[in-house]
Amino acid sequence: MSLPDSRSPGKQSSPGLQSCSVVQLNVGGHVFTTSLSTLRKHPDSQLAFMFSSGQQPKLPTDAKGRYFIDRDGTHFGAILQFLRTQRLPTESVLEVYQEALHYDIRTLVKQLQDSAQLFGETVGRQQFISRVPNYLENLEVLVRVARAEAIAARHSAVIVCVLRTEEDLGRYDNAVNNLEEQEVVRFGPWKAPPTAIDLLDCIKMDVEARGYKVRYEPHSSDRGFLFKTNDGFLYKLVFTWW
């Protein structure tokens, strides 16, 4: 796509795009109009690299000649708003943060990390999760077990063993031996202040972020015995499918 050189009507356009050029973008089906100077606002960003000075963008174009970025464009408007005005988004902050990471707009990433909406998530919750061994792997196992139990059922339950401390490891086998061959997904132990309930809240948040409806409750045996739940051991995570 070549744009005319507005400085001289009878002159051919110079190589590359001019910083004053108006650019139309198709971001995953969402159409935006902006300027090259806006896209190049942060020279070390991926957007600036896509539209580097002195050369044509190495992007495909759609049927109407708009540069095409093959990514969901739902929150791209918030990215442009920041580039134009430095205003931070007030809605869908986590989603915009993910877009800022993708386009490597470091100033926006830093400001969003410092915002009230993300500070607790990145500095508090994510730092805690990173101290729980194999948290993400166990989350995958949890979902896989629940899906396997969902055949012809409205609910499926997965037993979760939460071990808060190293001392709890010694009691783990005794608790699990009473479960009569039920599969158990174990989390912990960890070295951080949050409690077992805090961990269960994290699990619930991350599972629901994947679109599932879930709740947790203390696990009790068929004989009515309630396993220790004050700060650890056995809980039941219940998935609701319909």
Side-chain angles (χ1 to χ4, degrees):
M1 174 182 179
S2 63
L3 299 176
D5 188 339
S6 59
R7 296 170 299 176
S8 177
K11 188 177 179 181
Q12 296 294 322
S13 60
S14 59
L17 295 172
Q18 304 301 312
S19 61
C20 60
S21 297
V22 174
V23 179
Q24 287 197 327
L25 301 173
N26 177 345
V27 185
H30 297 258
V31 176
F32 301 92
T33 301
T34 187
S35 68
L36 278 177
S37 59
T38 295
L39 296 172
R40 295 171 179 169
K41 191 73 168 285
H42 296 272
D44 58 350
S45 71
Q46 184 65 22
L47 273 179
F49 175 77
M50 290 177 180
F51 295 90
S52 300
S53 179
Q55 62 182 3
Q56 289 291 94
K58 297 178 180 179
L59 290 171
T61 56
D62 66 12
K64 295 187 176 181
R66 297 174 294 217
Y67 291 112
F68 179 71
I69 298 176
D70 192 8
R71 185 172 176 84
D72 186 357
T74 303
H75 304 290
F76 191 76
I79 297 293
L80 286 181
Q81 174 179 275
F82 176 78
L83 295 178
R84 290 165 175 155
T85 67
Q86 303 300 302
R87 284 169 47 199
L88 294 177
T90 57
E91 298 179 353
S92 304
V93 175
L94 183 57
E95 290 80 3
V96 176
Y97 174 69
Q98 296 299 328
E99 295 306 296
L101 287 173
H102 175 75
Y103 293 112
D104 198 20
I105 306 173
R106 298 170 193 175
T107 302
L108 178 55
V109 168
K110 181 63 170 63
Q111 290 188 34
L112 288 176
Q113 287 176 339
D114 290 340
S115 69
Q117 295 96 323
L118 278 187
F119 184 81
E121 171 68 17
T122 57
V123 176
R125 199 177 81 91
Q126 291 298 329
Q127 288 295 319
F128 163 53
I129 286 172
S130 69
R131 288 164 169 75
V132 180
N134 303 314
Y135 176 84
L136 294 177
E137 293 86 347
N138 288 337
L139 209 64
E140 294 292 339
V141 173
L142 185 67
V143 172
R144 187 174 69 247
V145 172
R147 290 172 67 95
E149 297 291 332
I151 299 174
R154 183 170 187 179
H155 305 282
S156 58
V158 183
I159 305 302
V160 175
C161 183
V162 180
L163 302 175
R164 171 69 180 81
T165 66
E166 295 285 347
E167 290 75 18
D168 290 336
L169 280 171
R171 308 169 197 168
Y172 170 73
D173 288 337
N174 290 334
V176 172
N177 286 339
N178 290 311
L179 293 179
E180 300 177 355
E181 299 185 355
Q182 295 183 61
E183 186 163 1
V184 178
V185 182
R186 193 189 93 182
F187 289 84
W190 61 87
K191 294 181 180 179
T195 65
I197 297 300
D198 294 327
L199 176 67
L200 288 165
D201 285 337
C202 287
I203 294 171
K204 183 175 185 293
M205 288 174 63
D206 289 330
V207 170
E208 289 183 339
R210 302 181 182 201
Y212 299 100
K213 184 178 180 180
V214 68
R215 72 178 190 275
Y216 64 82
E217 59 191 44
H219 174 68
S220 58
S221 69
D222 294 337
R223 298 185 294 273
F225 177 73
L226 186 67
F227 292 92
K228 175 190 173 186
T229 57
N230 186 34
D231 195 21
F233 289 5
L234 299 177
Y235 296 83
K236 181 162 57 178
L237 211 67
V238 181
F239 287 70
T240 299
W241 301 108
W242 50 274

